[in-house]
């Protein structure tokens, strides 16, 4: 029998674990771990070694998702899945994804053998779309929803396909071989329920002085790529009245997107996060500009209305400025409600344990959306984010708040493993 790891030991291990994981990053400020890149592969290998050292298994699937489980848990067994994502945004923080996966990992060490349902930790390969516009392709592959065609259809900004990048990671031991080309991603376990703990990434818990958020809804998003086409001309010789400047038009669209977000009531948000003018020279009036925009809302009808209004405003700007605009969907997620039964269990437990908490919605997207929409009872927990900051090197949460969140997760997972949702 492997030694039983006691709660204080694992909770004390949380912060050093996060410190170590944050060390796996590409150059630059904060943490950059894009799916299957060197830092990601190094972190993946480190996680596998850590699991072996603690006497449990770390099993990669065909997409490079990593599952942590007791050696006695058979493949495809029903399980309580607990974890988060391994990848990060470019120049992101050390906790987004990492916190939830560290908690899932330590939980496996702590709960092995306890409860009727085995606890399996997970680290999904890709959640952030910081490399592939894959619409939560890590979670989708983990439950067998990602399709064979996506391996060649999804590519990064350099044209490297999901398939090619994955082959590189596989060569480094971070994924197993695809056994069935028609159905490349078979779920390694049968999730009976999932839990994901995460930093809030917003200001609510800190502002209200609370330790815990019990997340009942997650906002959906629509990401669109706008191709703005004007006319490239000499910047020194083209009078201002003769210009059809694609960048100037796109700049006006950026402000229109911001105004749309401001005009709509909270929790609506609208962001232009990508702007690529071409040819990008001092002496050429920009003839083309790519603009990447997104809108988010927890309500599906409002989300659709926001997307439609955004396009209408941008088209009006294009017409007035005599440029052409083409729009295409980049990716999207439907707003998603999480398990009322698990939320009730978490609320009851928080009251019992005297943990200051609230029910809330998430403005950020998460892997949990995929599990919930697939009909798996799924819940998220939030801990406070200092200043509400995330997707930034400044992302931080006090260690005692991280540990308190972990302890609550342990208590909740114990309860769910003992009495799984129906
Ligand atoms: O973009 C999101 O909401 C998430 O952080 N992936
Ligand atoms: Mn994120
Ligand atoms: Mn995240």
């Amino acid at each position: 029998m492997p030694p039983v790891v006691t709660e204080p030991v694992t909770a004390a291990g949380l912060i050093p674990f996060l410190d170590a994981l944050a060390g796996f990053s590409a150059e630059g400020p904060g943490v950059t771990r894009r799916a299957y890149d060197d830092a990601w592969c190094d972190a993946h290998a480190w996680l596998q070694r850590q699991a072996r050292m603690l006497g449990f298994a770390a099993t990669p699937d065909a997409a490079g998702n990593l599952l942590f489980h007791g050696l006695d848990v058979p493949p495809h067994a029903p399980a309580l899945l607990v974890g988060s994502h391994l990848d990060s945004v470019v120049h992101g923080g050390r906790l987004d994804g990492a916190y939830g996966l560290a908690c899932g990992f330590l939980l496996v060490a702590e709960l092995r053998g306890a409860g009727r349902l085995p606890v399996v930790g997970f680290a999904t390969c890709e959640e952030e779309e910081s490399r592939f516009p894959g619409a939560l392709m890590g979670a989708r592959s983990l439950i067998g929803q990602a399709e064979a065609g996506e391996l060649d259809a999804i590519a990064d900004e350099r044209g490297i396909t999901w398939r090619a990048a994955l082959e590189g990671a596989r060569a480094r031991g971070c994924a197993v071989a695809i056994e069935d080309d028609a159905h490349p991603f078979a779920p390694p376990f049968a999730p009976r329920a999932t839990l994901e703990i995460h930093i809030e990434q917003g200001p609510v818990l800190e502002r209200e002085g609370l330790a815990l958020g019990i997340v009942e809804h997650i906002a959906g998003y629509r990401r669109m790529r706008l191709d703005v086409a004007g006319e490239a001309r000499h910047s020194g010789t083209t009078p201002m009245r003769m210009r059809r400047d694609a960048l100037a038009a796109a700049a006006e669209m950026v402000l229109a997107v911001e105004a749309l977000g401001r005009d709509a009531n909270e929790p609506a948000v609208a962001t232009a996060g990508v702007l690529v003018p071409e040819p990008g020279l001092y002496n050429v009036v920009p003839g083309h500009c790519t603009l990447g925009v997104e809108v988010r809302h927890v309500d599906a009808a409002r989300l659709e209305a926001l997307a439609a209004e955004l396009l209408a405003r941008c088209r009006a700007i294009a017409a007035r400025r005599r440029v052409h605009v083409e729009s295409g969907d980049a990716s999207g997620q439907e707003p998603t409600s999480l398990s009322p039964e698990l939320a009730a269990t978490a609320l009851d437990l928080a009251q019992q344990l005297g943990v200051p908490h609230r029910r809330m919605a998430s403005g950020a997207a998460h892997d949990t959306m995929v599990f919930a929409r697939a009909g798996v009872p799924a819940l998220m927990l939030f801990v406070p984010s200092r200043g509400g900051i995330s997707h930034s090197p400044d992302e931080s949460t006090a260690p005692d708040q991280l540990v308190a969140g972990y302890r609550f997760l342990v208590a909740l997972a114990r309860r769910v493993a003992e009495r799984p949702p129906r």
Side-chain angles (χ1 to χ4, degrees), residues 133-151:
L136 306 181
M137 68 194 217
R140 290 190 303 109
S141 52
L142 183 62
I143 59 165
Q145 275 187 352
E147 288 169 11
E150 294 184 63
L151 280 164

Side-chain angles (χ1 to χ4, degrees), residues 84-85 87 95-98 127-128 196 198-199 201 364-367 380 390-391:
S84 194
H85 55 99
D87 67 321
L95 299 173
D96 182 358
E127 191 265 358
E128 293 286 12
E196 180 175 6
H198 205 283
I199 52 166
Q201 309 184 274
H366 298 283
D367 289 325
M380 288 199 75
S390 184
H391 283 187

Side-chain angles (χ1 to χ4, degrees), residues 25-187:
S25 172
E27 292 292 303
V31 171
T32 301
R33 263 194 315 267
R34 301 204 315 160
Y36 314 126
D37 73 6
D38 284 344
W40 182 99
C41 285
D42 290 344
H44 202 281
W46 179 80
L47 288 167
Q48 293 190 44
R49 285 197 302 277
Q50 293 303 113
R52 281 195 292 272
M53 270 166 47
L54 283 174
F56 57 91
T59 307
D61 71 4
N65 298 303
L66 191 53
L67 288 307
F68 310 112
H69 55 94
L71 302 172
D72 55 346
V73 183
H76 311 299
L80 167 60
L81 258 53
V82 186
S84 194
H85 55 99
L86 178 58
D87 67 321
S88 77
V89 295
V90 174
H91 303 163
R94 47 189 269 125
L95 299 173
D96 182 358
Y99 174 53
L101 99 72
C103 289
F105 179 100
L106 295 176
L107 191 62
V108 172
E110 189 154 337
L111 290 198
R112 38 182 146 191
R116 288 196 293 132
L117 197 59
V119 176
V120 171
F122 71 83
T124 51
C125 58
E126 212 282 359
E127 191 265 358
E128 293 286 12
E129 297 195 359
S130 57
R131 179 168 183 188
F132 296 103
L136 306 181
M137 68 194 217
R140 290 190 303 109
S141 52
L142 183 62
I143 59 165
Q145 275 187 352
E147 288 169 11
E150 294 184 63
L151 280 164
D152 299 307
I154 295 176
D156 70 10
E157 74 284 357
R158 290 188 295 157
I160 299 172
T161 60
W162 182 7
R163 185 188 297 282
L166 179 55
E167 271 164 19
R170 188 177 303 121
R172 297 182 59 173
C174 300
V176 295
I178 291 172
E179 281 177 11
D180 177 355
D181 286 338
H183 304 284
F185 303 117

Side-chain angles (χ1 to χ4, degrees), residues 268-296:
V269 286
T271 307
V274 178
L275 185 75
V276 185
E278 286 168 53
L281 296 170
Y282 284 101
N283 57 359
V284 184
V285 177
H288 186 271
C289 191
T290 304
L291 185 57
V293 296
E294 62 152 49
V295 286
R296 302 198 191 210

Side-chain angles (χ1 to χ4, degrees), residues 93-413:
R94 47 189 269 125
L95 299 173
D96 182 358
Y99 174 53
L101 99 72
C103 289
F105 179 100
L106 295 176
L107 191 62
V108 172
E110 189 154 337
L111 290 198
R112 38 182 146 191
R116 288 196 293 132
L117 197 59
V119 176
V120 171
F122 71 83
T124 51
C125 58
E126 212 282 359
E127 191 265 358
E128 293 286 12
E129 297 195 359
S130 57
R131 179 168 183 188
F132 296 103
L136 306 181
M137 68 194 217
R140 290 190 303 109
S141 52
L142 183 62
I143 59 165
Q145 275 187 352
E147 288 169 11
E150 294 184 63
L151 280 164
D152 299 307
I154 295 176
D156 70 10
E157 74 284 357
R158 290 188 295 157
I160 299 172
T161 60
W162 182 7
R163 185 188 297 282
L166 179 55
E167 271 164 19
R170 188 177 303 121
R172 297 182 59 173
C174 300
V176 295
I178 291 172
E179 281 177 11
D180 177 355
D181 286 338
H183 304 284
F185 303 117
F189 293 97
R192 284 284 313 280
T194 69
L195 299 174
E196 180 175 6
I197 192 165
H198 205 283
I199 52 166
E200 182 200 330
Q201 309 184 274
V204 176
L205 293 174
E206 182 181 73
R207 198 174 55 208
E208 298 183 6
L210 300 173
L212 181 74
I214 294 167
V215 181
E216 295 176 301
H217 305 281
I218 303 181
Y221 62 81
R222 287 274 309 276
R223 291 184 180 149
M224 290 167 279
R225 174 192 157 112
L226 305 180
D227 281 302
V228 184
E231 191 179 24
R233 295 183 58 150
H234 197 295
S235 67
T237 60
T238 309
M240 298 310 286
R241 66 191 150 77
M242 288 180 64
R243 297 181 180 208
R244 294 169 55 230
D245 182 329
L247 175 57
E252 202 173 326
M253 291 175 194
V254 170
L255 296 180
V257 170
E258 185 190 40
L260 173 70
R262 286 186 195 271
D263 294 348
N265 290 328
E266 284 188 10
V269 286
T271 307
V274 178
L275 185 75
V276 185
E278 286 168 53
L281 296 170
Y282 284 101
N283 57 359
V284 184
V285 177
H288 186 271
C289 191
T290 304
L291 185 57
V293 296
E294 62 152 49
V295 286
R296 302 198 191 210
H297 207 290
V298 286
D299 180 85
R302 298 231 173 101
L303 180 64
E304 276 318 297
L306 275 171
E309 177 65 18
L310 185 151
L311 284 179
R313 291 190 187 191
C314 290
R315 287 203 180 106
I317 291 165
R320 184 161 40 72
R321 286 181 161 270
R322 298 180 301 115
V323 298
H324 188 71
V325 64
E326 291 268 353
S327 69
D329 282 339
S331 68
Q333 290 294 327
E334 287 304 309
T336 304
S337 293
L338 305 187
S339 162
E341 189 180 341
L342 287 177
T345 305
L347 283 164
D348 182 54
L349 188 62
Q351 265 150 21
Q352 247 182 49
L353 298 176
V355 177
H357 66 281
R358 61 165 286 159
R359 305 157 70 170
M360 62 192 301
S362 170
H366 298 283
D367 289 325
T368 294
M369 302 171 93
V370 172
F371 307 137
R373 282 206 305 269
V376 179
L379 189 71
M380 288 199 75
L381 303 171
F382 280 171
V383 295
S385 287
R386 189 175 55 80
I389 297 170
S390 184
H391 283 187
S392 153
D394 294 335
E395 179 182 277
S396 109
T397 298
D400 61 326
Q401 292 175 321
L402 293 170
V403 170
Y406 172 69
R407 285 198 191 287
F408 185 81
L409 178 73
V410 173
L412 180 62

